[in-house]
Amino acid sequence: MSGILDSFGRSIDYLRISVTDRCNLRCIYCMPPGGVPLIPQSEILSYEEIRAVVRAAAGVGINRIRLTGGEPLVRAELPRLIKMLSETEGIEELSLTTNGTFLKRSAPELRQAGLTRVNVSLDTLKADKFRDITRLGELGDVLEGIEAARDAGLNPVKTNVVIMRGMNDEEILDFARMTLTEEWHVRFIELMPFSGGVEFVPSAELREHVGLLGRLEPCPDGTGITGNGPASYYRLAGARGTIGFISPRTEPSFCSRCNRIRLSPDGRLRPCLLSEDEIDLKTPLRNSAPPAELERLILKAVASKQEHHDLEGGDAAPLRARGRRGAMNRKMSQIGG
Ligand code: SAM
Ligand code: SF4
């Protein structure tokens, strides 16, 4: 069995798990310079608790898992969790989203533990700009991490690029050119207003800009690059790599093709990234609830998915000012992006 049908006919087969809210970087669109208040360690799900959720999720039809954060590679013994999840019956794909800083040293061990693919966030190809955007990172570490991931057999490596007007928008063609000669799979993500002060660039504008390099041909499904999720993938004629666009703010397909639910580090299931609604799994987990109860709560989360979020394309008001209770209850680092 694969996928759970939600109330709008979407098949939900994908669970994103934020394994920690801790991070070694402070990207300007994600966190303030001093970081965000941290979830107490005792509230964070243990690996055994995460496995119990994944077993229940697999039991009702979820077959793909992505680990994210915060920065997942700052959590101790991550390969141990990867091994536990890769051995879980019903899980067919296990991937990771990372800032890439620690990938160079951990890629072989992650692969060996059962990780199948990795997405690396990289918003600029310039070292000084990289420090401006991440506040704490070194570009060289991430580039070496991407190479190490490829060498370890984590395929494909996809690169997540958040384009911000006046910050890195002059690099759109540089990223796109990388796909011509290298097997780079670049995904441009529209900035979501979790943090004020930076302006997003609509995907339509990005596509037009990239079109200066040649015609963008849609990638057929089943190539191993396209998922069933919200990204649309293209290839420049003759290119080795691909270009994806993820458009939470301007394209309804972001919601109509949604295939996922999310689990926060403290065990809350989130049916939609951009809604505050959550279902508590930590309390039942810590009260020794049977697997059937976890399965029931996962099905409830899927059934409660809304048709679309209410983030308007042109509205740059930070999400923290738009939450129904006056402040968005979680930061991106606590939800997992
Ligand atoms: N630390 C890891 C990383 O940066 O890849 C994983 C967590 S991060 C929250 C997951 C993804 O969310 C990253 O690709 C990041 O660029 C993206 N992200 C964070 N804040 C965002 C925002 N305000 N708008 C769009 N994407 C954002
Ligand atoms: Fe950390 Fe990722 Fe957020 Fe950057 S985007 S601050 S790397 S969690």
Side-chain angles (χ1 to χ4, degrees):
M1 177 176 50
S2 159
I4 313 159
L5 274 194
D6 77 357
S7 321
F8 304 96
R10 297 171 295 200
S11 175
I12 309 303
D13 62 1
Y14 179 38
L15 172 64
R16 289 179 70 104
I17 303 175
S18 175
V19 296
T20 180
D21 58 340
R22 275 73 171 160
C23 186
N24 58 316
L25 303 185
R26 296 284 180 272
C27 302
I28 53 173
Y29 48 73
C30 180
M31 286 200 197
V36 292
L38 295 177
I39 299 170
Q41 200 64 51
S42 60
E43 301 295 306
I44 290 185
L45 295 190
S46 68
Y47 287 168
E48 287 69 24
E49 289 169 332
I50 293 176
R51 176 172 59 187
V53 175
V54 169
R55 279 183 176 157
V60 291
I62 285 179
N63 57 15
R64 296 192 293 142
I65 304 288
R66 177 171 294 276
L67 304 180
T68 174
E71 174 47 42
L73 294 179
V74 303
R75 183 150 178 190
E77 297 182 40
L78 193 74
R80 184 167 73 83
L81 175 66
I82 288 174
K83 186 158 193 318
M84 287 161 70
L85 301 188
S86 68
E87 289 170 353
T88 300
E89 197 178 328
I91 297 305
E92 291 165 14
E93 188 185 292
L94 183 55
S95 56
L96 177 80
T97 297
T98 171
N99 63 37
T101 317
F102 303 121
L103 203 47
K104 184 179 176 190
R105 67 167 191 232
S106 42
E109 200 186 354
L110 296 171
R111 178 76 188 104
Q112 207 175 9
L115 192 73
T116 44
R117 39 172 80 197
V118 67
N119 288 3
V120 180
S121 302
L122 177 62
D123 303 320
T124 173
L125 298 166
K126 298 179 180 171
D128 53 343
K129 187 65 60 82
F130 188 83
R131 269 189 296 272
D132 290 345
I133 293 175
T134 64
R135 297 197 181 99
L136 297 171
E138 288 298 331
L139 175 66
D141 293 340
V142 181
L143 295 176
E144 287 177 16
I146 290 174
E147 279 314 305
R150 283 212 191 92
D151 292 348
L154 291 164
N155 270 319
V157 178
K158 293 183 184 173
T159 309
N160 288 347
V161 187
V162 177
I163 293 289
M164 295 159 272
R165 203 179 292 288
M167 175 62 73
N168 59 350
D169 53 348
E170 86 279 5
E171 292 186 65
I172 295 164
L173 292 186
D174 297 337
F175 275 107
R177 264 188 216 103
M178 294 292 287
T179 71
L180 287 170
T181 50
E182 309 271 341
E183 218 189 317
W184 271 53
H185 301 287
V186 171
R187 306 184 329 151
F188 293 116
I189 305 176
E190 280 178 352
L191 173 79
M192 286 177 272
F194 275 77
S195 214
V198 270
E199 193 190 330
F200 88 112
V201 181
S203 289
E205 190 179 321
L206 295 176
R207 261 194 294 266
E208 203 180 310
H209 204 137
V210 172
L212 294 174
L213 295 180
R215 209 165 70 80
L216 277 172
E217 294 160 359
C219 286
D221 285 345
T223 54
I225 300 300
T226 56
N228 299 319
S232 357
Y233 290 94
Y234 300 83
R235 196 184 285 275
L236 283 163
R240 295 187 63 201
T242 59
I243 300 175
F245 297 91
I246 303 179
S247 320
R249 297 180 70 157
T250 60
E251 289 174 12
S253 61
F254 180 77
C255 293
S256 64
R257 296 191 346 211
C258 184
N259 59 351
R260 59 202 59 191
I261 53 175
R262 295 176 158 82
L263 181 68
S264 71
D266 53 346
R268 301 199 171 244
L269 267 187
R270 199 164 172 117
C272 171
L273 170 67
L274 295 164
S275 156
E276 291 187 322
D277 295 338
E278 294 180 340
I279 291 177
D280 176 22
L281 289 190
K282 176 163 59 71
T283 306
L285 275 166
R286 294 192 177 175
N287 287 333
S288 311
E293 176 60 4
L294 297 177
E295 290 181 7
R296 186 185 72 78
L297 291 169
I298 292 166
L299 292 174
K300 185 175 165 195
V302 171
S304 70
K305 275 180 76 67
Q306 55 199 52
E307 188 172 13
H308 49 75
H309 63 66
D310 61 359
L311 184 64
E312 292 148 33
D315 185 353
L319 274 171
R320 62 186 151 73
R322 294 172 53 86
R324 262 181 274 138
R325 287 189 283 276
M328 193 68 178
N329 61 345
R330 283 182 192 274
K331 293 289 184 192
M332 196 65 144
S333 56
Q334 298 175 328
I335 308 171

